[in-house]
Amino acid sequence: MRRVATGLALLMLASCTATGTEVVTRTTTVAASSSVAPPSSVAPPSSTAPSPSTATSPASTSRSSSASAPPATSSAASTSRSASASPVTPASCAQRTLAGLSQKQRIGQLLMVGLQPGDLISQLPDQPVGGVFLAGHTTRGADELSTGIATLQRSVTRSAGVPAQVAVDQEGGYVQSLAGPDFPAIPTAVAQGEESSSDLADGTSDWAKRLVDAGITLDLAPVADVVPAGTAEENPPIGAQDRQYGSSPSAVAEAVVTVIRSMLGVKLGTTVKHFPGLGRVRANTDTSADAVDAQTSASDPALQPFRAAIAAHTTAVMISSATYPQLDPDHIAAFSAAIVTDLLRQKLHFDGLVISDDLGGAVAVSSFSPGQRAVDFVRAGGDMVLTVQVADIAPMTAALASLAARDKTFRARVDNAALHVLASKQSVGLLSCG
């Protein structure tokens, strides 16, 4: 998500971008796509994370290490075509958890709502949600945050059936949501990119562990966008705020992999963003509907950091709301099956969580109703809709439920998306299938 810096302050605008469970672990499974293997095929627990094509093992509520999401290609369809779902095998803790959720709870998994740090419970919508984004900037200490998040998780679990992914924007520089006494200032990405790999790894591990100790499960970072040398000031969302690790794809890729490995090493989920890249746009999607990258193609070298992040098993990929004419001249990236399903899922082989940039307050999506935004993102192959507007949750839920009730293909897409969300939770220890 993009933020606009004011003066020298670390100003976070709310436009971005746990644990005892009460899940039902029935032994029957519900197809998240065309077929699902029986629970007997679940691999035995392992202390190491297998490759994306390997089944994940049950994660404990103490947030022990686990694998990346189980293999699943999206069954998303654009407004002009559909893509068939692929089998999700073998069954995992996430799949068994999905089997115990109602349709309302499954749809809830697809929604992440932005809440201001403080009394989180009072801001929660009535509908189940799969995630909470701590929007804005706070100087609260770790103990206070941890207490509030624990209370939040109990409430979410009662409603949604499983705990929430609790996310923040913690990149460094101008984009640092948590800045209290327990969260020292993090250098800008530009400065981080100039550090040695060992120093960057050590620094990242330190601040990432502080997030985990406070109850954060997912960071909406790192930024994988490549800003060409000499163009930073002309690139409002990234370059003008020093959010890039470098000006070459290889340099950015190296830093992104170091950051991802360090964060995953302390059991903090990662979200590489903003696919397929915001380093060349000349407008900010938070404040404009005119963010266009006319250069990026499916073979663009600037995709290298995203490829590297996928190989490093990033938990999630965030989709931008800019337009990429060479990839899809008719849809913004968040609503494009050509970008989300064809490019990210099929060509780049990403089988983890696909999350949107903010689909609530961003000007780039203001011409669409909240319900249409949610439907279009999920139909394109997205899994989790992020909105900073709490009021959006009701119409988004209603729109997703309405289409799923009358369209079995979309209903399967909802299950597939919910499975990706649950797999991301399994990877950070939020699910229990003992």
Side-chain angles (χ1 to χ4, degrees):
M1 300 178 63
R2 282 89 48 207
R3 300 294 180 274
V4 179
T6 301
L8 297 178
L10 299 180
L11 177 62
M12 292 295 301
L13 298 180
S15 170
C16 160
T17 95
T19 352
T21 70
E22 301 173 7
V23 300
V24 180
T25 56
R26 298 188 332 209
T27 57
T28 56
T29 59
V30 175
S33 57
S34 58
S35 67
V36 179
S40 60
S41 63
V42 177
S46 169
S47 61
T48 58
S51 68
S53 61
T54 305
T56 58
S57 60
S60 71
T61 54
S62 63
R63 301 186 65 188
S64 61
S65 66
S66 64
S68 56
T73 54
S74 164
S75 58
S78 71
T79 54
S80 60
R81 70 185 189 283
S82 62
S84 60
S86 298
V88 178
T89 57
S92 67
C93 177
Q95 287 172 301
R96 287 179 280 154
T97 301
L98 178 69
L101 300 182
S102 67
Q103 182 66 10
K104 182 177 182 180
Q105 289 173 325
R106 294 178 191 196
I107 290 171
Q109 290 303 301
L110 277 56
L111 299 169
M112 175 177 280
V113 61
L115 305 179
Q116 295 295 319
D119 186 359
L120 297 171
I121 299 299
S122 67
Q123 303 171 64
L124 267 179
D126 293 334
Q127 291 82 5
V129 294
V132 170
F133 167 61
L134 301 187
H137 179 81
T138 181
T139 57
R140 294 172 183 269
D143 288 344
E144 186 177 0
L145 280 170
S146 179
T147 299
I149 290 172
T151 302
L152 170 78
Q153 290 288 31
R154 289 191 290 270
S155 181
V156 169
T157 302
R158 284 193 296 270
S159 172
V162 289
Q165 281 282 18
V166 180
V168 291
D169 260 340
Q170 197 84 343
E171 301 172 16
Y174 293 112
V175 184
Q176 181 172 340
S177 296
L178 308 185
D182 300 307
F183 307 101
I186 303 170
T188 65
V190 169
Q192 291 179 54
E194 295 173 349
E195 298 177 4
S196 67
S197 294
S198 60
D199 287 346
L200 179 58
D202 290 344
T204 301
S205 295
D206 176 69
W207 61 255
K209 188 177 186 303
R210 293 171 184 267
L211 297 186
V212 173
D213 291 343
I216 304 301
T217 63
L218 182 69
D219 192 5
L220 302 184
V223 170
D225 306 321
V226 178
V227 180
T231 67
E233 292 305 314
E234 302 167 13
N235 177 238
I238 309 299
Q241 298 180 59
D242 293 340
R243 298 174 69 192
Q244 73 278 21
Y245 289 106
S247 58
S248 72
S250 59
V252 174
E254 181 179 359
V256 162
V257 168
T258 298
V259 170
I260 287 174
R261 288 176 175 169
S262 300
M263 291 165 66
L264 294 180
V266 297
K267 313 304 179 290
L268 177 66
T270 60
T271 309
V272 66
K273 58 188 184 182
H274 308 76
F275 189 81
L278 284 177
R280 297 177 178 132
V281 299
R282 296 294 180 264
N284 190 328
T285 57
D286 285 345
T287 57
S288 172
D290 299 322
V292 178
D293 177 346
Q295 183 174 339
T296 295
S297 66
S299 59
D300 198 298
L303 292 178
Q304 181 183 345
F306 292 101
R307 292 178 185 273
I310 292 168
H313 307 301
T314 182
T315 310
V317 172
M318 178 180 284
I319 309 298
S320 91
S321 295
T323 302
Y324 303 83
Q326 290 203 48
L327 296 172
D328 187 341
D330 300 320
H331 306 90
I332 64 171
F335 302 153
S336 170
I339 292 174
V340 180
T341 296
D342 299 348
L343 179 57
L344 180 60
R345 291 290 194 202
Q346 297 177 358
K347 187 176 179 65
L348 300 188
H349 308 293
F350 179 64
D351 59 11
L353 175 66
V354 175
I355 187 169
S356 74
D357 202 340
D358 174 42
L359 297 184
V363 173
V365 297
S366 60
S367 62
F368 301 84
S369 69
Q372 193 64 52
R373 297 169 202 168
V375 166
D376 285 354
F377 178 67
V378 174
R379 180 185 280 137
D383 301 317
M384 180 169 263
V385 178
L386 170 62
T387 175
V388 298
Q389 304 289 349
V390 177
D392 285 346
I393 296 299
M396 285 180 170
T397 298
L400 291 168
S402 177
L403 184 54
R406 65 180 189 272
D407 185 333
K408 65 179 181 180
T409 299
F410 187 75
R411 187 161 59 250
R413 172 82 273 274
V414 167
D415 281 355
N416 186 260
L419 181 59
H420 283 123
V421 176
L422 292 170
S424 78
K425 294 180 179 184
Q426 180 181 345
S427 76
V428 293
L430 286 171
L431 301 188
S432 176
C433 291

